[in-house]
Amino acid sequence: MDALTAPERAEVERANESGLRPVVFVHGLWLLSSSWDRWRGRFESAGYTSIAPGWPDDPESIEEAKRDPEVFAHKMIAQVTDHYLDAINDLKIKPAIVGHSFGGLIAQHLAGEGVSAATVAIDSAPFRGVLPLPASALKSASPVLLNPANVGRAVSLTFEQFSFGWANALDTDEARALYDTYHVAASGVPLFQAATANLNPFTEARVDTKNSERGPLLIIAGDNDNTVPLAISNAIYKQQKKNHGVTEIVEVPNRGHSLTIDHGWDEVADLAIDFVQKHD
C-alpha cells in the first residue's frame, strides 16, 4: 500500500478489519473525496464499510486545495485509475464501486478489470465508443477545451460556469452554497483525453465492456444534466448492455450534474444502495 497516503491506508485497514463488504467511492473533476462523506455514512448505516481515496496528490481539505490549485494539474485517467486499483487490491473482500462523472468512467474501467462486485456509475464521463457530443456537454467542457494549454494546467470554474454545468437544476442560493463548499480546481488533461477518445486507438479513456467478470452495473443519469446529458448516459448504457452481466439505467428527473452533492443526494444514494444490496 506504499502508493496510498497514510489516511488512505488507514481507511483500507479499517475496511479489512470490519469484515464487511467495502464500497469504494470515486470522485470526479472539481471535487474532493470528502464530497462522498454523507454517502459513506448512508452506506455504512446499510451494513457496508467504505473507503474514498482521493486522486493522486489531492489535498486533504477544500481550504488547502484553494491555496495550491496547481497540485491538481497533469493527473491523467490511467494514473488515477491505477491509484484506485492499488487501494482495491489491498482489500480482503471484493468491493462495490460507486463513481460520479469522471469517477463514473473510472468505476466502469475498474469493473472491466473484474475487480468490482457491483458498480454504480453516476452521470459518467464518456469513453471510447460513446459517440454523442451534445451542445450542452461541449459548452460545459469549454472552460478547459477552448484553450489547448489547459492540457497541462489545473482549471477552476467560475461560479457562472459551475451554475451552467453543475447547478442548472438548482436555485441560485443552493448553487452558490455548493460552489463555495465543494468546488476545487481540476486537472485539464482528462477532458482532452475523453474529447479525443474516439480518434485515439490508444486512449486511456476506454472501458472493457465485454469482460465476463465485469459484474452488475447500474448507470444513474440526471435527466437535466448539462455536463453529461442523457444522450451520453444512454450511449454508455447501449455499450454496456452488450455485456452478459446485469446492466440497468435509471433516469432521475429534474436533476443536474450536482445530484450527488445537492439537496436530493440521499435519493440518488438510496438508488445505489438498493442496487448493491440486490446484487450482494
Side-chain angles (χ1 to χ4, degrees):
M1 293 191 290
D2 289 344
L4 305 181
T5 66
E8 289 168 345
R9 289 196 299 271
E11 286 197 0
V12 170
E13 290 165 2
R14 169 181 172 269
N16 286 336
E17 290 169 0
S18 75
L20 302 172
R21 185 177 301 283
V23 180
V24 178
F25 290 97
V26 188
H27 71 82
L29 298 177
W30 292 297
L31 295 176
L32 294 178
S33 62
S34 56
S35 62
W36 290 116
D37 285 353
R38 293 180 295 181
W39 282 66
R40 294 181 66 181
R42 202 165 186 90
F43 264 85
E44 292 191 7
S45 294
Y48 296 91
T49 187
S50 69
I51 67 171
W55 289 26
D57 302 319
D58 269 4
E60 292 187 12
S61 69
I62 298 291
E63 294 74 22
E64 185 182 348
K66 291 181 177 179
R67 284 195 301 268
D68 185 19
E70 284 305 311
V71 72
F72 295 101
H74 306 293
K75 303 304 181 297
M76 300 178 72
I77 292 170
Q79 177 190 8
V80 178
T81 304
D82 287 347
H83 187 72
Y84 283 90
L85 191 57
D86 286 341
I88 289 169
N89 286 338
D90 285 310
L91 293 170
K92 294 180 180 178
I93 297 174
K94 194 174 191 178
I97 303 175
V98 178
H100 170 250
S101 195
F102 265 90
L105 187 160
I106 291 167
Q108 290 177 82
H109 183 100
L110 293 167
E113 295 284 327
V115 300
S116 179
T119 306
V120 180
I122 306 164
D123 285 347
S124 172
F127 48 83
R128 182 172 173 82
V130 175
L131 300 179
L133 286 172
S136 71
L138 293 172
K139 182 177 177 179
S140 294
S142 65
V144 176
L145 297 180
L146 286 180
N147 186 350
N150 285 335
V151 73
R153 294 174 176 167
V155 181
S156 296
L157 301 176
T158 66
F159 176 64
E160 290 71 24
Q161 291 163 347
F162 179 85
S163 295
F164 178 82
W166 285 69
N168 58 293
L170 308 176
D171 62 39
T172 302
D173 287 345
E174 184 176 8
R176 172 59 71 176
L178 294 183
Y179 182 77
D180 292 342
T181 302
Y182 292 106
H183 173 264
V184 296
S187 175
V189 64
L191 279 166
F192 286 93
Q193 290 180 289
T196 60
N198 289 313
L199 304 175
N200 177 10
F202 306 104
T203 182
E204 294 179 359
R206 62 167 60 250
V207 169
D208 182 356
T209 60
K210 299 178 181 179
N211 185 354
S212 61
E213 301 300 317
R214 186 207 68 185
L217 171 67
L218 172 65
I219 297 163
I220 298 179
D223 77 350
N224 200 20
D225 189 341
N226 280 340
T227 296
V228 181
L230 281 177
I232 291 177
S233 293
N234 285 327
I236 290 172
Y237 173 72
K238 184 177 180 180
Q239 291 291 322
Q240 290 283 12
K241 187 65 177 174
K242 298 173 184 177
N243 192 287
H244 74 80
V246 172
T247 307
E248 298 179 6
I249 186 169
V250 174
E251 297 177 9
V252 186
N254 305 314
R255 303 298 293 282
H257 205 62
S258 66
L259 78 175
T260 59
I261 56 174
D262 63 29
H263 66 277
W265 70 270
D266 51 349
E267 173 192 359
V268 186
D270 287 345
L271 290 172
I273 290 169
D274 290 347
F275 183 81
V276 172
Q277 287 179 328
K278 183 167 65 173
H279 298 286
D280 199 347

